């Protein structure tokens, strides 16, 4: 059975997250669907939860979008 993991990605500014989310949260929805994870926004943090390997991939994707 896969291990469920929670990861946190921090942004420097809330404005940086606007780009990450995209129009109508399209980018976040695509990441969630493609990797079967859940992403929740809390201020300047994004909490990613799901299968450990997929959560790590989602974090790398989000960090790439924030860079």
């Amino acid at each position: 059975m896969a291990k469920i993991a929670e990861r946190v990605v921090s942004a420097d500014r809330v404005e940086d997250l606007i780009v990450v989310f995209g129009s109508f949260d399209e980018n976040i929805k695509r990441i969630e669907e493609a990797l079967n994870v859940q992403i929740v926004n809390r201020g300047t943090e994004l909490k990613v939860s799901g299968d450990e390997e997929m959560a790590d991939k989602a974090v790398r994707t989000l960090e790439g979008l924030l860079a």
Side-chain angles (χ1 to χ4, degrees):
M1 187 170 165
K3 288 179 68 176
I4 300 299
E6 284 192 1
R7 304 284 188 261
V8 176
V9 177
S10 296
D12 293 333
R13 305 172 311 151
V14 174
E15 291 81 10
D16 295 337
L17 295 177
I18 293 170
V19 175
V20 171
F21 272 79
S23 298
F24 303 104
D25 301 340
E26 179 181 12
N27 295 338
I28 294 297
K29 289 176 185 173
R30 285 185 180 212
I31 295 168
E32 287 178 324
E33 289 173 10
L35 299 176
N36 195 30
V37 295
Q38 182 179 12
I39 302 171
V40 178
N41 176 241
R42 296 285 179 253
T44 58
E45 292 185 338
L46 296 173
K47 186 172 88 171
V48 180
S49 51
D51 172 75
E52 189 171 26
E53 183 180 345
M54 293 298 118
D56 289 339
K57 284 184 180 183
V59 166
R60 287 193 299 273
T61 302
L62 291 167
E63 288 173 342
L65 290 170
L66 284 168

